[in-house]
Amino acid sequence: MRKIIHLDMDCFFAAVEMRDNPAYQNMPIAVGGQGRRSVLCTCNYPARQFGVRSAMPNHQALQLCPTLIILPIRMQDYRDVSKKVFSILHRYTPLVEVVSIDEAYLDVTNCPLNGGSATYIANAIRHDIYQETQLTASAGVAPNKFLAKIASDENKPNGQFVITPETLHEFVRTLPLEKIPGVGKATIEKLHQLGLYTGQDAIDYGETALTARFGKFGQLIFERAQGIDNREIVLYRERKSIGVEKTLIENIIGFPDCWQTLKSLTPELQRRIAQKKAFNRIKKLGVKIKFADFTQTTVEQQAVGLDMGVFQALLEKGLARDRTQAVRLIGIHVGLETINQEQQLRLPLEQTTSE
Ligand SMILES: [Mg+2]
């Protein structure tokens, strides 16, 4: 059995605001856009007592809680805290899956720290996070991802919950089906209509009947109801190329026109490479040509930077592959050197969802 931890910061954006301005501690606050049509990113527990929730439109939240203070989003500050949190997680294992800015899965099956106990590891991580950021996190410990995710919610905020291989079956037997990630409002209504409320109900109903009713998702519900989830931790997926292409309004023919088009694409390519800070990772250049009959060809050559001479040679070579046809699309791209595993694991994805 694997040992998976789901770690989730408690009302993250709002928690950062309360930390930085203790006067907010006992007041209902939220973080979100400032326009009337904006929605809240997250809110603190005093606000939740009024029924305010994340993703709620501002005007609705203010109706429920007229004293609610909606603070502007300070994304750079949240990102800085997030980086610190993820650096703590990586002290325990390199197997960290970034779910969002404040949420991660860790596979600690082979982690030797804290006596190899996932429960103690989760405790230690939450302790470290509090010591170093003055923020609380909740954790779920389980033999797989979906159970760890459900578990992290059980004793929120500032708590943790453990599902062991021994308690797993009892836990899923009584598990309300709406707690299975992916089971939304529409699905749960259908399940309830069939008289299915718990994991045990789904098992009794049977795999064949569930699949007939819900397709592939029915099979997933059947698996989850038995506590099965074989999904691995997904590490940061690295970008291996960056490109720009343009479908022409009218087909063009001949090198000069194609070259003009290609040159017009380079500022955007440069911008995208700069955005990914990838200039020093360029290892090859490529040109893609799609002909009028939709056949396409790609030519590439090794290079250490953007080199218009190389692009020119590649375009000539590509066009030479079919001189009879007009061209309907031209694209250029760079192939990138992959960063080693150690480095890429230190790059949390930048997402903005928070709970
Ligand atoms: Mg959270």
Side-chain angles (χ1 to χ4, degrees):
M1 284 270 194
R2 292 180 297 159
K3 295 175 190 171
I4 307 293
I5 296 172
H6 178 252
L7 188 111
D8 188 16
M9 299 297 291
D10 300 323
C11 40
F12 183 50
F13 296 177
V16 175
E17 297 300 337
M18 290 191 290
R19 178 195 71 177
D20 294 352
N21 188 346
Y24 293 143
Q25 215 53 260
N26 299 308
M27 297 156 83
I29 65 155
V31 174
Q34 299 295 297
R36 255 199 72 73
R37 293 163 56 81
S38 303
V39 295
L40 304 181
C41 297
T42 190
C43 59
N44 66 357
Y45 282 90
R48 287 176 200 207
Q49 283 178 354
F50 289 85
V52 174
R53 294 285 178 269
S54 57
M56 188 176 269
N58 288 9
H59 64 89
Q60 191 186 343
L62 287 165
Q63 266 169 11
L64 290 167
C65 177
T67 58
L68 181 71
I69 300 167
I70 303 176
L71 299 163
I73 304 163
R74 291 190 294 145
M75 193 51 77
Q76 194 50 53
D77 294 291
Y78 311 146
R79 281 198 184 121
D80 291 345
V81 180
S82 174
K83 272 192 190 137
K84 204 170 220 175
V85 170
F86 276 92
S87 76
I88 292 168
L89 302 184
H90 280 117
R91 287 180 208 157
Y92 290 84
T93 175
L95 302 177
V96 177
E97 175 175 341
V98 181
V99 181
S100 72
I101 192 167
D102 78 320
E103 196 182 331
Y105 290 108
L106 292 80
D107 186 332
V108 294
T109 312
N110 297 313
C111 175
L113 300 171
N114 304 85
S117 155
T119 304
Y120 291 158
I121 292 169
N123 230 326
I125 288 172
R126 292 175 44 243
H127 179 262
D128 288 358
I129 290 174
Y130 189 74
Q131 286 300 310
E132 293 170 45
T133 71
Q134 292 78 53
L135 297 169
T136 63
S138 296
V141 180
N144 61 45
K145 281 162 75 169
F146 107 94
L147 286 172
K149 167 110 180 155
I150 294 171
S152 71
D153 217 31
E154 291 285 308
N155 286 326
K156 215 172 201 344
N158 197 17
Q160 66 183 57
F161 185 78
V162 182
I163 300 170
T164 64
E166 292 74 36
T167 59
L168 181 151
H169 291 287
E170 182 58 21
F171 186 85
V172 287
R173 206 176 64 73
T174 54
L175 181 71
L177 294 173
E178 60 265 37
K179 289 213 173 179
I180 296 174
V183 173
K185 221 178 153 199
T187 310
I188 197 64
E189 272 174 23
K190 282 185 211 156
L191 287 164
H192 286 172
Q193 276 165 18
L194 296 167
L196 310 180
Y197 291 86
T198 65
Q200 185 65 51
D201 293 342
I203 291 168
D204 293 344
Y205 193 68
E207 185 175 11
T208 316
L210 278 171
T211 310
R213 201 85 192 194
F214 299 96
K216 245 189 144 154
F217 192 57
Q219 198 190 335
L220 186 133
I221 293 171
F222 188 71
E223 276 183 13
R224 299 291 185 265
Q226 298 166 89
I228 298 170
D229 177 4
N230 294 319
R231 289 173 303 155
E232 297 280 342
I233 297 292
V234 181
L235 300 179
Y236 176 75
R237 278 201 201 89
E238 194 180 4
R239 187 177 273 274
K240 293 202 175 72
S241 73
I242 298 174
V244 196
E245 57 183 46
K246 184 177 186 181
T247 300
L248 301 150
I249 300 166
E250 280 182 70
N251 292 352
I252 53 175
I253 197 152
F255 179 82
D257 282 357
C258 291
W259 178 237
Q260 284 305 319
T261 303
L262 188 153
K263 280 197 290 187
S264 74
L265 296 174
T266 52
E268 176 60 17
L269 182 65
Q270 278 177 321
R271 197 189 63 77
R272 291 189 192 180
I273 297 169
Q275 194 183 33
K276 301 285 175 202
K277 300 187 177 71
F279 274 111
N280 56 359
R281 290 171 53 207
I282 296 173
K283 63 169 184 181
K284 66 182 174 189
L285 304 181
V287 171
K288 175 171 136 184
I289 300 167
K290 198 182 266 182
F291 293 103
D293 70 349
F294 288 86
T295 57
Q296 68 176 51
T297 186
T298 299
V299 274
E300 292 182 330
Q301 188 184 315
Q302 302 221 328
V304 287
L306 284 187
D307 181 335
M308 294 314 285
V310 172
F311 275 132
Q312 186 174 349
L314 289 172
L315 180 65
E316 280 168 355
K317 200 169 159 191
L319 289 172
R321 288 182 178 173
D322 192 339
R323 293 208 187 277
T324 62
Q325 287 203 69
V327 170
R328 70 185 317 276
L329 173 148
I330 290 178
I332 51 175
H333 62 265
V334 296
L336 301 176
E337 198 84 58
T338 50
I339 313 175
N340 71 48
Q341 188 83 337
E342 272 297 293
Q343 280 173 301
Q344 63 170 280
L345 289 172
R346 291 200 203 103
L347 302 169
L349 289 180
E350 291 182 344
Q351 294 179 4
T352 56
T353 46
S354 171
E355 177 49 36

